[in-house]
Amino acid sequence: MGEHQGKRSGAGGPVGHPATQPMGYSEAGRWRPRQALRLALAVFVAKLVRWLTRVLNRGHGGTSLPGRIVLSLAPDAILLWMQQLRRGVVVVTGTNGKTSTANLIRLFLRRQGYRVVANASGANLLGGVATALALATDPWGRLRSADYAVIEADERISERIVAAAGVKARALVVTNILRDQLDRLAEPELVRQAIGRAASRLPATARLLLNADDPGVVQLATSNLADSPVSSDSSDRRAPSSATTVFYGLGEVTTDRPGATAGLPRAEAAMPGGEAASVDTEVRDSETCPACGSQLSFALRFYSHLGFYECPVCGWRRPEPAWTADATLVRCEPGDDPGWAVAVHVPDHTEPVRGVLPGEAAATASASLPDSVRVKLAAAGVHQLYNLLAAVATVAELTGRLPLQAGEIIRPQVFGRMEKVALGAEWGHRELVLALTKNPTGANQNLRTLAGDQRVRSVMFVLNDLAADGRDISWIWDVDWSPVVARTDWTLVATGRRAAEAALCWHYAGVATERIQVQPSLETAMRTAVESIPPGSRCLALATYTGLLQFRHLLATRHWVSWYWEQDDQTDPEQDSGLLSPLTSM
Amino acid sequence: MRSLQVVQLAPERLGLYGDRGNAIALTVRAQRLGILCERHSAEHIDGQMLAQADILLIGGGADEAQRGIAQEFRQYRRELAAAIDDGLVVLAICGGYQLLGLYYRTAGGDELPGAGVLNIWTQAGTPRLVGNIVTYARLEFSNFPAPVVPTETALRGQNRVRLRGLPGEASEQFTGSCSSLGEREVELVGYENHSGRTYLGEGVRPLGRVVWGFGNNGRDRTEGAVWRHVVGTYLHGPVLPKNPVLADQLILWALERRGESFPGLRGDLPAMDWENLAHQDAVQLARREASVLGRIGRRLSWLS
């Protein structure tokens, strides 16, 4: 069912005290019986609801309903659980790349032997966070077995999550701030202020990981703006964050084709498929200098407004990132889809985040790190590099150990983020590429990544306008559809609540009418998109959030993909017993 | 014949809500009428740009960006007013619409002056007015009595007292039943998302009357403003692709100004299938949202 009730749970959910540090029971040092009983009851109900939604196969697996029930019975549940964690909380926020980054962080922490709970399926409002935590608790509603919670938080609730984590907050990772779901989030500026409030609540022991290539994100490092005219008249003044700020950003990014970079800015040459971004068709936000308000000039753009920038007037510029990576577009193995050969450069002064538990600091502080490590990333698109770099930097800053092994191939496979689904023999062994698409920048990245893929022969677009998708669909008009127009061999199928608008948008962009089909039913649309292409080829399926859930439901009933709640459940063996059969364990 | 020059003002700063689609729609509709059309974007407003443009598109942006643009508008107010007097076609959406007005009064009571070429003013308010909206609009304004030109004194704000308060004339124009489409009225549909409440002064007519949704201020059931060939509206989504008749109207005005006429144009070029479908989908949504069941349904949507 996703996060249909986004606005309300985001605005009214009582998690933590806004003004003071949440203390929960950790300060008192003992378990309060009434609180404990209430929480245990709430968790029991939540697990029961989860079990019911699965048995009845309703509501997309209940990724947020159980959590909302918990929060209505025990409003401070998230706060209590976070205080019970052995090590702490990692919060990932930003517009795009949250889920992928959080999943990599979860994977890396597990590799290092930590037990991790996470809201992995992308339900990132309070209900989703509470669900993920509730289902990982023991029968008494306690979350004592987990070391870390990796929370992917929607921008609007990031402050609540950080406040609830209190001293347990270890890292806040900000991926980027782009234009997204304007009806809920209003403007990028308001999003930045919301994340800024979250950052200001971090304890001094935490790390604030910022994408140095996004000027909007860099503004969150308030120290940079201490003496600037804009910040002084800003209506939303906040105390500067006491956490240590760590920047990450890309370095040299090239394709392997010789001469591909000649005559073009490097970032545009780096786009797989070679479709260089035309300058006046791409949407960009945060283009003005935060210090003096003039237009920033970009020496290099990776995509949208992410790149190497500088203010020509006052000289405000991209900070030198501590964590950086060079990448070359390659095929990881012969026959693979394009991916990246990545060299991650490690800063020489990495100090792990000190624990608040006695003895913890000594245990982790002694590791020494190599200067750089080379790996391969089996995923195309520059945004995937950011996800990897952010995750590596976060985990290394937390634990003092590098989560990568030299030469390994990392294959991120995240629910609906460029996820490849092999259809059965009945469908001629064709393949679906599921891509969550909810804002113009994400759509542009997805299209560019696959425009050069000769196996892709059709595109379908599930365009919904429910609350979780963003009710305003005007963003589709900001997408650069030129890869779709250029590939005249592609069949285009629109479906979902606003299918006609998608078709109109394609038609206006210059796609011939014969190539466009509108199918109200998702299953018919999929059949049309898949059966019109030769066996063995691929269909790119773009979908908004609820569209993706419907899609997943359709595919899972045919056993082509696992039920996506199983993504949340991929925790450690120790926890699985208490998690998969809530009723028997009570 | 010179091709039609469509200029989008500062698309990077004032293009937050897919307003790029309006420029695309004008091009496509013009092409279907057999008229050549060129799309430009202008980073700043200036005399040369105003002299060349046939249709000027002004979108909405973030508050910060709009403040910068407002400065430019004031600087080139004389040129802008002269071009509008001359019949320049302007489509101003949301923030751009507010910017053309006399002032925008913030919640704190500060008045941020606008370009002052449209006799409207905006007051910040809560809650934000968000949702799908359907209005019935009268196009072909040339048949209406000649609009009253806002005088220099009015623009300087010397008779602000008279301008404030609810506009009597504007609301009278569009009272009555909302249920059916009136004579010479067309249905417009879009998505509104604004916290400003806009009120119309003398001489400015509302673009339409609200059927489902909020409109200018959520009170007098008016939506948008028209003065000469300037159309201001809160409808985005974007507005022109789904409402090709409004795009045709803008093109018609631009041609009239140049002394060119196309007899075929007044016969209403039929909308294409996708345009109709997209329009109907959005209208259905607005109607469902506005119905009692729709309101209950939205409250219960998390149960689904």
Side-chain angles (χ1 to χ4, degrees), chain A residues 1 5 65 68 179 182-183 187 189 284 287 465 471 474 477-479 497-498 500-501 504 507-508 518, chain B residues 12 15-18 20 25 63-64 191 193 237-238 241-242 272 274-275 277-278 281 285 289 302 304:
Chain A
M1 71 170 297
Q5 202 209 0
L65 183 59
R68 286 208 211 98
R179 189 182 303 186
L182 291 163
D183 57 325
E187 293 154 12
E189 178 56 34
R284 297 187 289 254
E287 295 261 305
D465 66 348
R471 306 195 67 96
S474 61
W477 292 88
D478 283 325
V479 176
R497 285 164 56 99
R498 302 300 291 271
E501 178 112 5
L504 177 61
H507 181 74
Y508 270 25
V518 174
Chain B
E12 287 182 16
L16 199 54
Y17 298 96
R20 193 169 79 98
D63 286 347
E64 208 180 313
Y191 191 91
N193 183 355
K242 282 194 290 288
M272 293 179 290
W274 305 133
E275 288 164 351
L277 270 174
D281 276 2
L285 281 168
E289 273 171 27
W302 60 281
S304 67

Side-chain angles (χ1 to χ4, degrees), chain A residues 27-153:
Chain A
E27 185 207 36
R30 65 196 151 80
W31 187 237
R32 297 189 198 130
R34 278 184 61 191
Q35 223 170 32
L37 199 65
R38 203 178 48 186
L39 197 59
L41 178 75
V43 165
F44 175 79
V45 176
K47 287 177 177 174
L48 186 72
V49 167
R50 168 74 144 199
W51 179 78
L52 278 173
T53 54
R54 269 189 217 181
V55 167
L56 302 174
N57 198 4
R58 303 276 311 172
H60 305 302
T63 48
S64 66
L65 183 59
R68 286 208 211 98
I69 291 168
V70 168
L71 289 179
S72 63
L73 294 173
D76 48 359
I78 292 182
L79 183 149
L80 292 172
W81 285 326
M82 284 185 168
Q83 303 313 314
Q84 292 165 6
L85 290 166
R86 290 193 186 165
R87 280 167 191 271
V89 182
V90 180
V91 183
V92 183
T93 192
T95 311
N96 284 355
K98 290 189 289 281
T99 309
S100 301
T101 306
N103 271 288
L104 281 171
I105 293 175
R106 183 179 67 144
L107 175 82
F108 288 157
L109 283 172
R110 285 225 177 111
R111 267 191 192 180
Q112 298 192 346
Y114 296 106
R115 277 164 302 183
V116 184
V117 289
N119 54 336
S121 63
N124 58 17
L125 296 180
L126 287 177
V129 174
T131 304
L133 295 176
L135 297 176
T137 53
D138 64 12
W140 305 107
R142 293 173 303 183
L143 195 66
R144 285 185 154 165
S145 55
D147 295 307
Y148 283 105
V150 178
I151 304 294
E152 173 207 336

Side-chain angles (χ1 to χ4, degrees), chain A residues 177-193, chain B residues 16-17 60-66 128 193:
Chain A
I177 299 176
L178 306 161
R179 189 182 303 186
D180 180 31
Q181 303 196 3
L182 291 163
D183 57 325
R184 299 198 306 200
L185 299 172
E187 293 154 12
E189 178 56 34
L190 298 182
V191 172
R192 179 158 53 241
Q193 287 172 9
Chain B
L16 199 54
Y17 298 96
D63 286 347
E64 208 180 313
Q66 280 181 195
R128 228 177 149 79
N193 183 355

Side-chain angles (χ1 to χ4, degrees), chain A residues 248-497:
Chain A
Y248 64 90
L250 294 182
E252 189 102 12
V253 178
T254 46
T255 59
D256 55 347
R257 283 166 298 175
T261 56
L264 270 175
R266 278 177 297 170
E268 296 186 355
M271 299 304 172
E275 291 281 342
S278 110
V279 171
D280 57 344
T281 50
E282 199 177 1
V283 287
R284 297 187 289 254
D285 312 296
S286 304
E287 295 261 305
T288 50
C289 170
C292 71
S294 35
Q295 290 273 308
L296 294 173
S297 78
F298 279 76
L300 178 61
R301 267 181 209 280
F302 293 111
Y303 66 92
S304 191
H305 62 257
L306 274 65
F308 293 175
Y309 50 85
E310 188 174 13
C311 174
V313 179
C314 72
W316 185 81
R317 55 185 301 167
R318 170 181 181 262
E320 198 53 47
W323 287 86
T324 177
D326 297 333
T328 309
L329 193 68
V330 292
R331 290 188 194 276
C332 297
E333 278 171 11
D336 256 8
D337 290 319
W340 297 99
V342 193
V344 177
H345 304 298
V346 181
D348 37 349
H349 54 272
T350 301
E351 277 278 303
V353 173
R354 302 270 163 194
V356 284
L357 301 180
E360 191 193 340
T364 54
S366 56
S368 69
L369 301 176
D371 287 345
S372 76
V373 60
R374 289 181 177 277
V375 293
K376 283 180 178 173
L377 177 65
V382 182
H383 55 291
Q384 302 277 11
L385 293 172
Y386 282 110
N387 299 340
L388 177 72
L389 184 60
V392 171
T394 306
V395 173
E397 293 279 345
L398 281 177
T399 66
R401 283 180 288 159
L402 206 59
L404 299 172
Q405 287 160 1
E408 71 171 323
I409 300 178
I410 296 163
R411 297 182 184 277
Q413 187 68 293
V414 185
F415 166 63
R417 272 71 171 181
M418 283 289 178
E419 182 184 16
K420 297 182 184 82
V421 180
L423 304 178
E426 184 203 342
W427 295 65
H429 295 289
R430 295 169 177 104
E431 224 175 50
L432 267 180
V433 184
L434 272 177
L436 177 72
T437 302
K438 56 192 172 100
N439 50 37
T441 309
N444 286 343
Q445 282 296 102
N446 289 340
L447 287 173
R448 264 188 223 138
T449 307
L450 284 184
D453 187 339
Q454 291 306 316
R455 288 181 64 195
V456 174
R457 298 300 297 275
S458 65
V459 174
M460 62 179 292
F461 187 10
V462 193
L463 180 59
N464 280 349
D465 66 348
L466 296 166
D469 307 301
R471 306 195 67 96
D472 185 0
I473 54 158
S474 61
W475 61 268
I476 67 167
W477 292 88
D478 283 325
V479 176
D480 176 15
W481 293 105
S482 60
V484 173
V485 180
R487 287 289 300 264
T488 47
D489 55 331
W490 285 0
T491 306
L492 306 178
V493 183
T495 183
R497 285 164 56 99

Side-chain angles (χ1 to χ4, degrees), chain A residues 4-40:
Chain A
H4 286 236
Q5 202 209 0
K7 200 173 283 177
R8 207 163 322 133
S9 56
V15 175
H17 309 282
T20 57
Q21 284 291 358
M23 287 305 160
Y25 79 117
S26 65
E27 185 207 36
R30 65 196 151 80
W31 187 237
R32 297 189 198 130
R34 278 184 61 191
Q35 223 170 32
L37 199 65
R38 203 178 48 186
L39 197 59

Side-chain angles (χ1 to χ4, degrees), chain B residues 54-58 80 84 88-92 100 229-232 250 253:
Chain B
D54 288 310
I55 301 177
L56 177 64
L57 299 176
I58 309 170
L80 189 62
I84 289 169
L88 173 71
V89 182
V90 181
L91 176 66
L100 290 183
H229 292 169
V230 181
V231 174
L250 299 179
W253 277 337

